[in-house]
Amino acid sequence: MGDFMTRADVSESDYENIIHQQSSSAATNNELFELMDRALAEHPTSIRLWCQRGDLMRNRPPESPHVPPEALSSYERAIDIDPECAQAFEGIGHYYSIIKGDPTGAAKYLQRAIELGAGASAYVGLHEVLALVGREAEARQLLYRAP
């Protein structure tokens, strides 16, 4: 990661790829979050990077110094940039489901993500939260519409 970190011409896609690779490797959380901070400093209007940051924060290990609300604020920043960002609405939906334990709140955001064109993981998430709140028939119907 050394040469990568010293280059000044790193594209948004390069950052996305290396962050994804590092999150799957033995890179320390500090290295990963430092890289994410640099990526966003260089590409502050990248909705993909803001969503990727939210995903990293939401799925962070318990020993991480980053707190769950940072995930929510990352997704909200993506929505500030693009109010029709399906990925950000889906991220908020999963945040409400996993972190807050609020299936009703999660359903609202996951439904919006689907309306905006989100993929299969939004359908699965919405299916799970609808079933959890006793809306089984609606949850089953959703599976027929899933991509």
Side-chain angles (χ1 to χ4, degrees):
M1 192 162 60
D3 288 341
F4 180 82
M5 290 296 293
T6 59
R7 288 179 30 205
D9 62 341
V10 182
S11 74
E12 177 183 347
S13 295
D14 289 340
Y15 273 120
E16 285 180 275
N17 291 333
I18 195 70
I19 290 167
H20 177 74
Q21 290 169 359
Q22 292 296 319
S23 67
S24 303
S25 75
T28 68
N29 287 323
N30 287 341
E31 289 174 337
L32 190 57
F33 290 116
E34 285 173 16
L35 181 59
M36 179 57 73
D37 288 344
R38 178 173 173 185
L40 285 165
E42 292 180 22
H43 304 281
T45 60
S46 169
I47 58 173
R48 294 188 323 248
L49 287 172
W50 281 109
C51 288
Q52 189 175 26
R53 182 181 190 270
D55 293 346
L56 287 172
M57 297 292 177
R58 188 184 73 227
N59 299 320
R60 86 213 184 306
E63 69 276 5
S64 171
H66 299 279
V67 294
E70 289 183 62
L72 184 58
S73 65
S74 295
Y75 298 127
E76 289 170 340
R77 179 68 183 118
I79 291 170
D80 287 343
I81 297 165
D82 178 2
E84 296 188 0
C85 178
Q87 184 181 357
F89 280 98
E90 181 178 349
I92 293 174
H94 292 304
Y95 175 87
Y96 269 76
S97 176
I98 297 164
I99 304 296
K100 292 188 87 170
D102 177 0
T104 302
K108 178 178 87 169
Y109 287 102
L110 291 166
Q111 181 62 48
R112 181 67 178 136
I114 289 169
E115 291 167 4
L116 293 169
S121 61
Y123 282 84
V124 170
L126 183 56
H127 173 268
E128 290 172 355
V129 297
L130 289 175
L132 193 61
V133 297
R135 295 165 56 185
E136 291 88 1
E138 191 177 346
R140 276 191 303 277
Q141 284 293 85
L142 186 66
L143 292 179
Y144 294 110
R145 297 186 358 235

